Amino acid sequence: MGATAGAVWGRAEQQDFRSRVRGTLLGAAVGDALGAPVDGLGLEEIRQGHGPEGLVDLAPAYGRRGAVTHLTQLSLFTVDGLIRAQVRRDTGAWHPPTDLHRAYLRWAATQRDWGPDLRRKDDGWLAREEWLYARRDPTRALLMGLGDDIMGTLEKPKNPAATGPEATARSAPFGLLVGWEPQLVAQLAVECAAQTHGRPTAYLAAGAYAVTVHALARGDSLDGAVQQALALMAARPGHEPVSEALQRALGAVRQGLPGPARVEELAGAGTAEGVLSAAVYCALVAEDVRHGLRLAVNHGAPSAPTGALTGGLLGALHGETALPPAWLAELEGRPTILELADDFAMEMTQGPALHGPAGASPGWLSRYPRGGAD
């Protein structure tokens, strides 16, 4: 698994990769935070509360400006699971979907507990971050899918009727596995999405999103990245609704000036493929990150997931420096997100030096323990 060994990465390549990792995670979180105050509202309600242009800046949600939802929480645990999978590879216990499932169960524990349980020696540092224990309206599909230790699989998925975008919104980190082949990135994202969202459109949308981020993280254009996702999805049974949604996003770019009505039309009922389509469209027509994210949240469809998906795409495309500094300054959990992003970038570029046969770093293994039943 994973990227090429650190010795092969040049300094400029490492810096570019780290910027894209930071951009993806921070961009998704900022989009989530921008959409959180208006999630579930209609356009007229948004304009009544925030003015004729709608929401143009971060606004209070959950008692503070810049608050994120469960979408960002789960995305961070995706990163944690990917690092842990890489670390556990050295033990011969190599099954990334299991490591991701364990990470999602650690998130589920934050929704039941009042705070970190230091007796859980295998939790690692992320599960000890107290701000992640805030309950931010997780959906029933998430809580039910992760309500026990049984892992959903493609053969026996959890919640086979779940159509929502939550699994897609936690899947950007899979795309940051730049050393993987695209079809393996898609497969892992799909398998992990089925742990909570068993309807094919929901887990295939997660795969399509991960592959799009993957192409962007490797330096492709957004249009080229979407074309790669379409090509990969075409080989998967049941792909048609997801592929058609992506095609609608590409076609909508040529249909005049962007606006709320077009975003809402693409998002439709808020299904995974609809929200993905709206996010791809917002990223394609964005003049800059601020414009793209404002477009992504000002409509009557789900604002937080559309903002999160759009932010992940724009962050992967442009890197950290393109994100609005004023929004980042107020973003909940920003230090944690940065720390996790840099750990991920380090793991992908220097993993063998951190925990390989030549000798493991005790500090790294305390942050990302190898524990857990094989």
Side-chain angles (χ1 to χ4, degrees), residues 168 171-176 182 185-186 189-190 205-215 276:
T168 305
S171 294
F174 297 117
L176 300 173
V185 169
V190 163
Y209 182 58
V211 167
T212 304
V213 171
H214 186 252
L276 174 62

Side-chain angles (χ1 to χ4, degrees), residues 46-371:
I46 295 173
R47 287 174 171 168
Q48 287 171 12
H50 300 278
E53 295 183 31
L55 184 68
V56 298
D57 199 356
L58 293 176
Y62 305 105
R64 59 157 291 169
R65 285 166 60 99
V68 298
T69 76
H70 63 278
L71 302 174
T72 295
Q73 294 174 342
L74 266 166
S75 186
L76 299 184
F77 277 94
T78 297
V79 180
D80 180 63
L82 288 172
I83 296 174
R84 298 275 280 266
Q86 181 84 341
V87 169
R88 281 170 56 80
R89 185 185 185 188
D90 298 331
T91 70
W94 180 231
H95 190 247
T98 298
D99 290 299
L100 269 295
H101 185 241
R102 291 181 181 133
Y104 295 148
L105 290 178
R106 289 193 289 276
W107 168 81
T110 69
Q111 303 302 288
R112 296 190 303 267
D113 298 347
W114 290 105
D117 187 342
L118 299 180
R119 296 170 295 181
R120 295 182 184 137
K121 299 301 182 186
D122 292 335
D123 270 0
W125 76 277
L126 187 67
R128 299 191 188 111
E129 292 286 293
E130 293 194 13
W131 70 276
L132 287 170
Y133 285 73
R135 292 161 183 81
R136 298 291 167 76
D137 299 323
T139 63
R140 178 178 173 82
L142 292 172
L143 296 177
M144 294 290 289
L146 302 169
D148 54 41
D149 292 341
I150 299 172
M151 183 174 73
T153 64
L154 290 175
E155 293 72 29
K156 291 186 177 180
K158 293 287 188 78
N159 301 314
T163 62
E166 297 82 20
T168 305
R170 66 172 183 252
S171 294
F174 297 117
L176 300 173
L177 296 168
V178 294
W180 285 39
E181 291 302 313
Q183 61 268 27
L184 296 179
V185 169
Q187 183 65 23
L188 182 56
V190 163
E191 288 188 31
C192 293
Q195 295 175 9
T196 59
H197 288 68
R199 193 175 182 93
T201 51
Y203 60 67
L204 290 177
Y209 182 58
V211 167
T212 304
V213 171
H214 186 252
L216 295 175
R218 286 175 146 186
D220 206 344
S221 68
L222 182 52
D223 186 88
V226 175
Q227 297 294 348
Q228 283 198 42
L230 283 166
L232 270 177
M233 287 298 109
R236 292 184 171 268
H239 73 91
E240 290 84 0
V242 176
S243 296
E244 290 165 7
L246 289 174
Q247 293 283 14
R248 283 195 296 274
L250 294 174
V253 174
R254 301 185 293 273
Q255 294 173 4
L257 291 174
R262 191 158 289 117
V263 178
E264 190 168 333
E265 180 184 1
L266 290 169
T271 60
E273 72 273 19
V275 171
L276 174 62
S277 177
V280 167
Y281 171 76
C282 291
L284 282 167
V285 300
E287 298 169 6
D288 55 25
V289 173
R290 193 184 298 270
H291 172 253
L293 289 182
R294 285 172 174 169
L295 186 63
V297 303
N298 283 294
H299 49 75
S303 296
T306 309
L309 292 179
T310 304
L313 293 172
L314 291 172
L317 177 64
H318 298 298
E320 175 194 15
T321 56
L323 303 177
W327 289 357
L328 291 178
E330 293 191 87
L331 178 63
E332 182 182 27
R334 181 190 178 199
T336 302
I337 298 170
L338 283 171
E339 191 172 351
L340 190 65
D342 290 350
D343 280 0
F344 181 88
M346 193 181 302
E347 175 62 47
M348 292 301 120
T349 57
Q350 304 173 36
L354 297 169
H355 49 74
S361 162
W364 197 256
L365 295 182
S366 69
R367 291 170 68 73
Y368 302 102
R370 288 173 170 155

Side-chain angles (χ1 to χ4, degrees), residues 3-23:
T4 315
V8 181
W9 289 68
R11 177 176 289 273
E13 291 175 308
Q14 289 192 39
Q15 289 177 342
D16 178 72
F17 178 58
R18 188 179 80 157
S19 175
R20 291 181 193 268
V21 172
R22 284 181 160 201

